[in-house]
Amino acid sequence: MYFLTGWPRRLLCPLRSEEQPFHLQPSQHRLYFAVLAHTQLSVWFSRPSVLVVSYIESAKAATQFGFYQKAEWKPDDSMIAVAAANGYVLLFDIIGGGDDKYLYEPVYPKGSPRVKVTPSYKEEQCAPALSLEMKKPVDLEAPITSLQSLQEDLLVCTADGYLHMLHWDGVRNGRRAVNLCTIPFSLDLQSSRGGPCLDLNGVYVRDMEYCVTLDGFAVVFDDGRLGFITPTANRFSTEQLQGVWAADVTDGTCVAVNNKYRLMAFGCTSGSVLVYMIDSTTGSMQLSHKLELTPKHYPDIWNKTGPVKMIRWSPDCSVVMVTWECGGLSLWSVFGAHLICTLGEDFAYRSDGTKKDPLKISSMSWGAEGYHLWVIGSTEAGEDGSPQLQQASILQFQFIKSALTVNPCMSNQEQVLLHGEDRLFLTCGDAAQAHSPAEPLRDSSPLHRPHTTPPLSQGLSTLLGHKHWHVVQIHNTYLESNWPIRFAAIDSAGQCLAVAGRRGFAHYSLFTRKWKLFGNITQEQSMTVTGGLAWWNDFVIVACYNFIDQQEELRLYHRSCNLDNAFASITKLHAETLLLNVFKNMVILFRTDCSICLYSIEKKQDSPNPSASMELLQEVSMSRYIPHPGLVVSVTLTSVRTETGISLKAPQQACTAESILLNLAGQLIMLQRDRSGPQVREKDTSSNQKKLLPFCPPVVLAQCVENVWTTCRTNRKKRHLVEALWLSCGEAGMKVWLPLFPRDHRKPHSFLSRRIMLPFLLNIYPLAVLFEDALVLGATNETLLYDNLGANSSAEEPLESLFPFCTVERTSQIYLHHLLRQLLVRNLGEQALMLAQSCSSLPYFSHVLELMVHVVLEEEATSREPIPDPLLPTVAKFITEFPLFLRTIVHCARKTEFALWNYLFAAVGNPKDLFEECLMAQDLDTAASYLIILQNMEVPAVSRQHATLLFNTALEQGKWDLCRHMIRFLKAIGSGESETPPSTPTTQEPSSTGGFEFFRNRSISLSQSADSVSTGKFNLQKTFSMPSGPSAKGKDSDSAENMYIDMMLWRHARRLLEQVRLKDLGCFAAQLGFELIGWLCRERMRVARVEDFVTALKRLHEDFLWPFPVIPAGSISSPFKNGRCRTVLSTRLLKSQSADSLLNSEMDTAPPQVTRTNHSWLDGLGAAPKEMDSASSHGAPQTQEAFLSPLINKTEECSIGSATDLTETSSMVDGDWTMVDENFSTLSLSQSELEHISMELANKGPHKSQVQLRYLLHVFMEAGCLDWCVVIGLILRDVNVIKQVVGFLDSPEVPAETVQSIRTGLLAVDQWASSDCLGYKPFLNLIRPQLQKLCDVSVEQVQPEAFQPSSMSKLAEPTLPRAEPCPAPLGIPLPPDASTGSSTRSMEDACEDEPEEEAVEEGTYDCTLS
């Protein structure tokens, strides 16, 4: 509502004086401030804030009159009355300085465009030169206790118990006096009730203020009692005065009245403020609410404030400022919502924790429109007691306020708009955020607006994206001549602003970032806005008074036209407009004659400039119900109604204006359309008459209402929220008038009302409601300390160290859980469920459920008395309707203290059962949270059992982050560290879904590198028999725990290997630091053997997305199938291929066969290194010989990333190459060579898979699992690997079963390739010498014919009818013209004819035929 901003300003008086000012009194419009010292009367101007004139009493007169005490202005600012201590009233005339006599004038540089256009030009920007002239004093012969200005009279209270009525021109008309004792006082105005009367002998009025709307005086007597005096007739005399008094109050100190809300605020010696209202039926004083600082907010200042010193309502009557004898300021909204207090936090403490003395205030007053609070601090005399000459100072606190305080039609918008003295703060996002990128471009000219109007609801991204405000500086030219800003409005899209000051108005576009002002300053100065501003589509609607025609008008100006009356649509009105509001295409006005007018607006299509026409629809007189027009706070047109039998499937017509809502001094009154008369069918009547249904008599909906929010939008999914009525009720929080819908098409229950009023408390002051998003937007004051500034100076402590710097931050709050809870309390669970389901898509819906459980749990579990009907079981049952149930309960439990867990789980169920539900639902992270609860509530054996279950499931699902936490958790249970439960992972690590962590240096073993993955959270031992290393503390429990964890890890690794899930095994080892090589060494002859080579090979193809090799169609009819020219190309391609595979594997050392390892099974192989060296030098190309030609490089970059792309590649390979030949004419490769290159690339898998396979090959090689090395060598089609393995098989260390297994496996692969996947045949032919050698080495002699061409052709023959020799998933059929049999036989022929050549050029076919 009101928010402090920045530091206060210090206004220094230019005149040095020994006297300190102590009293401040503003004029009616707050343009002037009278400041009193003991013998001085000064007048200050508000903008610029300067001293205008000072009157110093002579010593002789000061002796006669006494010191000055109080001052009061005449309503027209022409006189000041000053009360002096000896019972004199001194009247001063204020005399203007005449024409062009100004104390201060603005000086503009030469050539400035600002010129004098209108006669009043200078008056608004200059401080006037005034003089003060004392008239004859009036002696009342008793000390004066209070001064109160009426229209023509001045009411003076004296200490002898008299009320004196003086004329402002006091001398001529004399005075009248009334003795308090003669005024009858009772508890109410109904004389028939002869209640106790008040004895006022010897009592006088200590403080008094006149209330216009109550037509009476709120008074505080010197004995602390409170009263209200009202004249029964127009004349002020003893016979016509009557009083009521408040029972049971005897400690009143001061009073202030609120004219708009008809409230009287009385300060008390206890430090609280009692706010009274007058009961309209009995006339008695009734307590409305209390304003007091609660220990909840300020525990250290309870009862330390002293009596209330002063109360001041803001000019718009929406907030009240209170100060106490002991100092400090506090601000409340009209019905008691606490906004600001300077007695705590950064206001009361320095940054080092020392306490500051609160600022003691002797007088304060609000400035114009409430943008400033003028404060005079009370200062003690100098240390030696002698007065010193010094400059008096006045503090000016600066405020920004919500646009709702003066322009309540802003409550239809979903933006928060605050305005300060010279700038606006808004919450909407940038224009670029709220619209598509193309739209702002079309608006490059200020006259053009995007055609597509933005949606009404901006969505959360723009409204909640950040805490910063969009600040718009008000145009200086407009501000200079029209300060202060009185009204501000923003359109529904949050892109157009309008402000109105003293005269005229201006508007601003966030698209163009430009202000529009009246081009003709005379037009601007000839109008003043009276009833506020509002936006309707692209038009700004202004209710104003035209000074030239002396006529009330309603004007519409289009935002794209120049701001000129020539482009305005003007409608003349009969009475002054106080309030206006817009609903769809209707405008509602409230006027000073207490009538309401409804107008329809329609955009004119035929006019050259955009304009609109207005038509009066209906007038409703409210004078019977409204005692004073100034009491109406807001008027709203809405589609909310009560009497309809609405169902959820048939939404009401939100397009029609069903009701009028009036906020009458905090009482919300509703007028509905009267549908009881004969209803006319729509086709029988014109649209005009249809809208003229009369209104029913008003009904009161709520009390103590500050703001009202409704929306004209419809949303079928969230009808509860969109069709509700939202009320802000001060300290009572918010209320929502919620519609209740019968489910589906059922008839509504007769006992079920159509709507229900639900109250709930908020932590913020609401400024806007986002209906569909179930959010309230607000703002809050934040403070920043700068108390070290100027600390070294010996002079007076600077303001910067006395006060913190104040900022205003955006804030928001969810309210949905309050509504659901209130509905459940009222046994409306079905409605609560419908409401919750409509909002379940909100991003914070889980948080809503969590909040609801938490609030109910805290209340019920900590209650001292037994609760007869606990709500928690109902809430728990309600939450089970949503899939978030398990997560909600556990999150709530984790955020609640342990002592309340038993109460919670007694209502929601056993945590063991909930844990098992999580496991069944595969929600492992939530299960991990339940594990922590089980650990605290159950014995260790139970939590270990559940942890094992979760660990195994997490291993199976590859949730590595969770697995690491579980390892730590299980170790903690064993080592007795269960007091510190593990943290529950919230999200999976990014790496857990990818491949393994690969280590660049092949000689590093996995166990050492695991630290980089695990970040030191756990330490799995390198040997598995007994723990060693830093985590071994010699405890049996430790080794037992480690063994227990190791057993689970081994079991999982065994399962993965049995299921041929090598990729998962690699991820598992890398993520959990599992020492794969050591484990494989031990399992070499058990689970680490390959049972079925063909199945393993197929599984690897599938796992690593590795394509099955295919044979190109062109290779059969190719001229290169025999002869030397084939080998040249083959060697070139082979070199590039092997180099490519080595470079891609990202290994920094030489190929695997020359790696020295530290495992014992290789140490005995004496001949192996020599064989490897000779083999590699004989036929295999070396890394340094590799040459990647530009073509191959380019093709590699575009190579296939996954198996799914392979179909396109193969079809390209099989297609016509003649078109491509032109592009490659510069290269010396023929069509057939290109075909082979592309085929080679098509047969390769993704680069990542290649790295992973090479890595696994390295691991299996070090562990001595030779049969796995063979399988990986086959899929990589790497001749060197097979040679290396066959070389190792000669060693006596290698068991015969391994040799037999490899031989059998290769035979099976060969058979499978002949029948199902011919792409493997060329590679198998390449390694035939190794196969032959294997057969020779084998213990059981195998017939050599098994590898002869005849047997191969026999195996190949059954596959002739097959159209797709390769497995179907890859979808790479051989071309139909390719004869499979002839292809195979041509390979066999080549093998038979050229045995010597093949021996020389091993590896040739690797690229030629694959």
Side-chain angles (χ1 to χ4, degrees), residues 640-669:
V640 171
R641 52 180 174 167
T642 56
E643 86 290 350
T644 54
I646 44 184
S647 74
L648 204 56
K649 289 291 164 79
Q652 66 180 31
Q653 301 152 334
C655 54
T656 57
E658 290 293 337
S659 316
I660 294 173
L661 295 172
L662 277 180
N663 185 351
L664 178 65
Q667 206 175 43
L668 190 65
I669 291 175

mmCIF file of all heavy atoms in Angstrom, residues 640-669:
data_model
loop_
_atom_site.group_PDB
_atom_site.id
_atom_site.type_symbol
_atom_site.label_atom_id
_atom_site.label_comp_id
_atom_site.label_asym_id
_atom_site.label_seq_id
_atom_site.Cartn_x
_atom_site.Cartn_y
_atom_site.Cartn_z
ATOM 1 N N VAL A 640 -20.050 -11.548 -11.223
ATOM 2 C CA VAL A 640 -20.327 -12.395 -10.065
ATOM 3 C C VAL A 640 -21.796 -12.252 -9.675
ATOM 4 O O VAL A 640 -22.326 -11.151 -9.607
ATOM 5 C CB VAL A 640 -19.427 -11.970 -8.881
ATOM 6 C CG1 VAL A 640 -19.846 -12.668 -7.607
ATOM 7 C CG2 VAL A 640 -17.983 -12.282 -9.202
ATOM 8 N N ARG A 641 -22.451 -13.373 -9.434
ATOM 9 C CA ARG A 641 -23.838 -13.328 -8.950
ATOM 10 C C ARG A 641 -24.091 -14.524 -8.037
ATOM 11 O O ARG A 641 -23.295 -15.464 -8.010
ATOM 12 C CB ARG A 641 -24.829 -13.318 -10.114
ATOM 13 C CG ARG A 641 -24.597 -14.423 -11.119
ATOM 14 C CD ARG A 641 -25.610 -14.345 -12.238
ATOM 15 N NE ARG A 641 -25.300 -15.317 -13.276
ATOM 16 C CZ ARG A 641 -26.132 -15.656 -14.243
ATOM 17 N NH1 ARG A 641 -27.327 -15.109 -14.287
ATOM 18 N NH2 ARG A 641 -25.798 -16.532 -15.157
ATOM 19 N N THR A 642 -25.220 -14.492 -7.339
ATOM 20 C CA THR A 642 -25.461 -15.547 -6.345
ATOM 21 C C THR A 642 -26.586 -16.477 -6.730
ATOM 22 O O THR A 642 -26.513 -17.674 -6.490
ATOM 23 C CB THR A 642 -25.824 -14.924 -4.993
ATOM 24 O OG1 THR A 642 -26.956 -14.070 -5.196
ATOM 25 C CG2 THR A 642 -24.682 -14.132 -4.434
ATOM 26 N N GLU A 643 -27.666 -15.959 -7.336
ATOM 27 C CA GLU A 643 -28.908 -16.733 -7.341
ATOM 28 C C GLU A 643 -28.985 -17.745 -8.460
ATOM 29 O O GLU A 643 -29.978 -18.425 -8.612
ATOM 30 C CB GLU A 643 -30.107 -15.771 -7.414
ATOM 31 C CG GLU A 643 -30.518 -15.346 -8.821
ATOM 32 C CD GLU A 643 -29.511 -14.413 -9.498
ATOM 33 O OE1 GLU A 643 -28.580 -13.923 -8.853
ATOM 34 O OE2 GLU A 643 -29.676 -14.188 -10.704
ATOM 35 N N THR A 644 -27.946 -17.908 -9.281
ATOM 36 C CA THR A 644 -28.058 -18.795 -10.434
ATOM 37 C C THR A 644 -27.805 -20.233 -10.031
ATOM 38 O O THR A 644 -27.005 -20.521 -9.153
ATOM 39 C CB THR A 644 -27.016 -18.402 -11.487
ATOM 40 O OG1 THR A 644 -25.758 -18.392 -10.825
ATOM 41 C CG2 THR A 644 -27.283 -17.046 -12.043
ATOM 42 N N GLY A 645 -28.475 -21.150 -10.698
ATOM 43 C CA GLY A 645 -28.224 -22.571 -10.450
ATOM 44 C C GLY A 645 -27.130 -23.055 -11.366
ATOM 45 O O GLY A 645 -27.340 -23.910 -12.214
ATOM 46 N N ILE A 646 -25.963 -22.477 -11.220
ATOM 47 C CA ILE A 646 -24.901 -22.760 -12.182
ATOM 48 C C ILE A 646 -24.301 -24.133 -11.928
ATOM 49 O O ILE A 646 -24.143 -24.552 -10.789
ATOM 50 C CB ILE A 646 -23.795 -21.682 -12.110
ATOM 51 C CG1 ILE A 646 -23.479 -21.368 -10.644
ATOM 52 C CG2 ILE A 646 -24.197 -20.451 -12.840
ATOM 53 C CD1 ILE A 646 -22.484 -20.278 -10.451
ATOM 54 N N SER A 647 -23.969 -24.826 -12.991
ATOM 55 C CA SER A 647 -23.269 -26.109 -12.853
ATOM 56 C C SER A 647 -21.905 -25.971 -13.505
ATOM 57 O O SER A 647 -21.640 -25.029 -14.231
ATOM 58 C CB SER A 647 -24.053 -27.223 -13.539
ATOM 59 O OG SER A 647 -23.920 -27.108 -14.927
ATOM 60 N N LEU A 648 -21.067 -26.949 -13.242
ATOM 61 C CA LEU A 648 -19.683 -26.850 -13.722
ATOM 62 C C LEU A 648 -19.601 -26.970 -15.232
ATOM 63 O O LEU A 648 -18.700 -26.440 -15.856
ATOM 64 C CB LEU A 648 -18.852 -27.951 -13.051
ATOM 65 C CG LEU A 648 -17.357 -27.695 -12.969
ATOM 66 C CD1 LEU A 648 -17.088 -26.390 -12.265
ATOM 67 C CD2 LEU A 648 -16.669 -28.819 -12.228
ATOM 68 N N LYS A 649 -20.570 -27.679 -15.844
ATOM 69 C CA LYS A 649 -20.476 -27.909 -17.290
ATOM 70 C C LYS A 649 -21.026 -26.725 -18.080
ATOM 71 O O LYS A 649 -20.705 -26.534 -19.221
ATOM 72 C CB LYS A 649 -21.259 -29.181 -17.667
ATOM 73 C CG LYS A 649 -20.572 -30.447 -17.184
ATOM 74 C CD LYS A 649 -19.289 -30.688 -17.962
ATOM 75 C CE LYS A 649 -18.365 -31.686 -17.312
ATOM 76 N NZ LYS A 649 -18.703 -33.049 -17.486
ATOM 77 N N ALA A 650 -21.930 -25.944 -17.470
ATOM 78 C CA ALA A 650 -22.532 -24.826 -18.199
ATOM 79 C C ALA A 650 -22.123 -23.533 -17.520
ATOM 80 O O ALA A 650 -22.792 -23.070 -16.609
ATOM 81 C CB ALA A 650 -24.054 -24.969 -18.198
ATOM 82 N N PRO A 651 -21.009 -22.962 -17.919
ATOM 83 C CA PRO A 651 -20.542 -21.756 -17.225
ATOM 84 C C PRO A 651 -21.495 -20.594 -17.440
ATOM 85 O O PRO A 651 -22.138 -20.485 -18.469
ATOM 86 C CB PRO A 651 -19.181 -21.482 -17.875
ATOM 87 C CG PRO A 651 -19.228 -22.159 -19.180
ATOM 88 C CD PRO A 651 -20.129 -23.337 -19.029
ATOM 89 N N GLN A 652 -21.539 -19.746 -16.438
ATOM 90 C CA GLN A 652 -22.404 -18.573 -16.557
ATOM 91 C C GLN A 652 -21.860 -17.649 -17.643
ATOM 92 O O GLN A 652 -20.707 -17.726 -18.033
ATOM 93 C CB GLN A 652 -22.449 -17.844 -15.230
ATOM 94 C CG GLN A 652 -21.089 -17.244 -14.854
ATOM 95 C CD GLN A 652 -21.140 -16.521 -13.531
ATOM 96 O OE1 GLN A 652 -21.888 -16.895 -12.669
ATOM 97 N NE2 GLN A 652 -20.359 -15.503 -13.388
ATOM 98 N N GLN A 653 -22.715 -16.744 -18.083
ATOM 99 C CA GLN A 653 -22.277 -15.830 -19.142
ATOM 100 C C GLN A 653 -21.439 -14.742 -18.495
ATOM 101 O O GLN A 653 -21.976 -13.802 -17.894
ATOM 102 C CB GLN A 653 -23.490 -15.214 -19.824
ATOM 103 C CG GLN A 653 -24.393 -16.272 -20.439
ATOM 104 C CD GLN A 653 -25.826 -15.794 -20.498
ATOM 105 O OE1 GLN A 653 -26.245 -14.973 -19.718
ATOM 106 N NE2 GLN A 653 -26.568 -16.326 -21.444
ATOM 107 N N ALA A 654 -20.145 -14.889 -18.606
ATOM 108 C CA ALA A 654 -19.278 -13.891 -17.981
ATOM 109 C C ALA A 654 -19.259 -12.601 -18.789
ATOM 110 O O ALA A 654 -18.637 -11.641 -18.396
ATOM 111 C CB ALA A 654 -17.870 -14.448 -17.854
ATOM 112 N N CYS A 655 -19.917 -12.629 -19.935
ATOM 113 C CA CYS A 655 -19.887 -11.429 -20.767
ATOM 114 C C CYS A 655 -20.866 -10.375 -20.266
ATOM 115 O O CYS A 655 -20.779 -9.225 -20.629
ATOM 116 C CB CYS A 655 -20.209 -11.794 -22.214
ATOM 117 S SG CYS A 655 -21.738 -12.699 -22.353
ATOM 118 N N THR A 656 -21.830 -10.774 -19.418
ATOM 119 C CA THR A 656 -22.835 -9.801 -19.004
ATOM 120 C C THR A 656 -22.466 -9.229 -17.654
ATOM 121 O O THR A 656 -21.952 -9.925 -16.783
ATOM 122 C CB THR A 656 -24.208 -10.477 -18.907
ATOM 123 O OG1 THR A 656 -24.104 -11.564 -17.995
ATOM 124 C CG2 THR A 656 -24.666 -10.994 -20.251
ATOM 125 N N ALA A 657 -22.748 -7.937 -17.501
ATOM 126 C CA ALA A 657 -22.497 -7.276 -16.227
ATOM 127 C C ALA A 657 -23.654 -7.599 -15.299
ATOM 128 O O ALA A 657 -24.746 -7.053 -15.431
ATOM 129 C CB ALA A 657 -22.374 -5.780 -16.444
ATOM 130 N N GLU A 658 -23.429 -8.516 -14.376
ATOM 131 C CA GLU A 658 -24.512 -9.017 -13.540
ATOM 132 C C GLU A 658 -24.736 -8.163 -12.298
ATOM 133 O O GLU A 658 -25.863 -8.028 -11.839
ATOM 134 C CB GLU A 658 -24.195 -10.457 -13.095
ATOM 135 C CG GLU A 658 -24.271 -11.458 -14.215
ATOM 136 C CD GLU A 658 -25.688 -11.618 -14.728
ATOM 137 O OE1 GLU A 658 -26.624 -11.309 -13.984
ATOM 138 O OE2 GLU A 658 -25.852 -12.045 -15.879
ATOM 139 N N SER A 659 -23.665 -7.655 -11.716
ATOM 140 C CA SER A 659 -23.787 -7.022 -10.401
ATOM 141 C C SER A 659 -22.904 -5.796 -10.302
ATOM 142 O O SER A 659 -21.918 -5.659 -11.031
ATOM 143 C CB SER A 659 -23.383 -8.000 -9.290
ATOM 144 O OG SER A 659 -23.946 -9.263 -9.519
ATOM 145 N N ILE A 660 -23.273 -4.922 -9.356
ATOM 146 C CA ILE A 660 -22.444 -3.768 -9.010
ATOM 147 C C ILE A 660 -21.948 -3.992 -7.587
ATOM 148 O O ILE A 660 -22.722 -4.334 -6.695
ATOM 149 C CB ILE A 660 -23.256 -2.467 -9.096
ATOM 150 C CG1 ILE A 660 -23.667 -2.182 -10.541
ATOM 151 C CG2 ILE A 660 -22.445 -1.295 -8.538
ATOM 152 C CD1 ILE A 660 -24.613 -1.014 -10.679
ATOM 153 N N LEU A 661 -20.646 -3.814 -7.406
ATOM 154 C CA LEU A 661 -20.059 -3.917 -6.066
ATOM 155 C C LEU A 661 -19.626 -2.530 -5.623
ATOM 156 O O LEU A 661 -18.880 -1.856 -6.342
ATOM 157 C CB LEU A 661 -18.843 -4.852 -6.076
ATOM 158 C CG LEU A 661 -19.104 -6.321 -6.386
ATOM 159 C CD1 LEU A 661 -17.784 -7.062 -6.537
ATOM 160 C CD2 LEU A 661 -19.942 -6.960 -5.294
ATOM 161 N N LEU A 662 -20.085 -2.102 -4.452
ATOM 162 C CA LEU A 662 -19.697 -0.813 -3.897
ATOM 163 C C LEU A 662 -18.965 -1.048 -2.593
ATOM 164 O O LEU A 662 -19.467 -1.779 -1.729
ATOM 165 C CB LEU A 662 -20.937 0.033 -3.595
ATOM 166 C CG LEU A 662 -21.599 0.831 -4.702
ATOM 167 C CD1 LEU A 662 -22.785 1.568 -4.122
ATOM 168 C CD2 LEU A 662 -20.643 1.809 -5.326
ATOM 169 N N ASN A 663 -17.791 -0.452 -2.443
ATOM 170 C CA ASN A 663 -17.128 -0.471 -1.144
ATOM 171 C C ASN A 663 -17.509 0.822 -0.439
ATOM 172 O O ASN A 663 -16.997 1.887 -0.762
ATOM 173 C CB ASN A 663 -15.617 -0.588 -1.323
ATOM 174 C CG ASN A 663 -14.898 -0.721 0.012
ATOM 175 O OD1 ASN A 663 -15.489 -0.557 1.068
ATOM 176 N ND2 ASN A 663 -13.604 -1.013 -0.046
ATOM 177 N N LEU A 664 -18.432 0.708 0.504
ATOM 178 C CA LEU A 664 -18.933 1.880 1.217
ATOM 179 C C LEU A 664 -18.262 1.926 2.583
ATOM 180 O O LEU A 664 -18.667 1.227 3.511
ATOM 181 C CB LEU A 664 -20.461 1.787 1.350
ATOM 182 C CG LEU A 664 -21.157 2.905 2.114
ATOM 183 C CD1 LEU A 664 -20.993 4.224 1.383
ATOM 184 C CD2 LEU A 664 -22.630 2.598 2.292
ATOM 185 N N ALA A 665 -17.206 2.721 2.679
ATOM 186 C CA ALA A 665 -16.464 2.891 3.934
ATOM 187 C C ALA A 665 -16.076 1.549 4.542
ATOM 188 O O ALA A 665 -16.208 1.314 5.741
ATOM 189 C CB ALA A 665 -17.280 3.707 4.928
ATOM 190 N N GLY A 666 -15.614 0.615 3.694
ATOM 191 C CA GLY A 666 -15.158 -0.684 4.182
ATOM 192 C C GLY A 666 -16.231 -1.746 4.193
ATOM 193 O O GLY A 666 -15.951 -2.919 4.451
ATOM 194 N N GLN A 667 -17.476 -1.363 3.902
ATOM 195 C CA GLN A 667 -18.579 -2.324 3.840
ATOM 196 C C GLN A 667 -18.824 -2.641 2.369
ATOM 197 O O GLN A 667 -19.108 -1.736 1.586
ATOM 198 C CB GLN A 667 -19.823 -1.691 4.470
ATOM 199 C CG GLN A 667 -20.780 -2.688 5.021
ATOM 200 C CD GLN A 667 -21.929 -1.983 5.753
ATOM 201 O OE1 GLN A 667 -22.453 -0.991 5.262
ATOM 202 N NE2 GLN A 667 -22.304 -2.494 6.903
ATOM 203 N N LEU A 668 -18.690 -3.914 2.005
ATOM 204 C CA LEU A 668 -18.871 -4.278 0.597
ATOM 205 C C LEU A 668 -20.345 -4.567 0.332
ATOM 206 O O LEU A 668 -20.934 -5.471 0.928
ATOM 207 C CB LEU A 668 -18.021 -5.501 0.244
ATOM 208 C CG LEU A 668 -17.971 -5.804 -1.261
ATOM 209 C CD1 LEU A 668 -17.265 -4.695 -2.016
ATOM 210 C CD2 LEU A 668 -17.292 -7.127 -1.532
ATOM 211 N N ILE A 669 -20.928 -3.775 -0.570
ATOM 212 C CA ILE A 669 -22.354 -3.876 -0.878
ATOM 213 C C ILE A 669 -22.501 -4.381 -2.305
ATOM 214 O O ILE A 669 -21.775 -3.947 -3.201
ATOM 215 C CB ILE A 669 -23.015 -2.490 -0.727
ATOM 216 C CG1 ILE A 669 -23.035 -2.090 0.746
ATOM 217 C CG2 ILE A 669 -24.425 -2.487 -1.286
ATOM 218 C CD1 ILE A 669 -23.558 -0.709 0.990
#
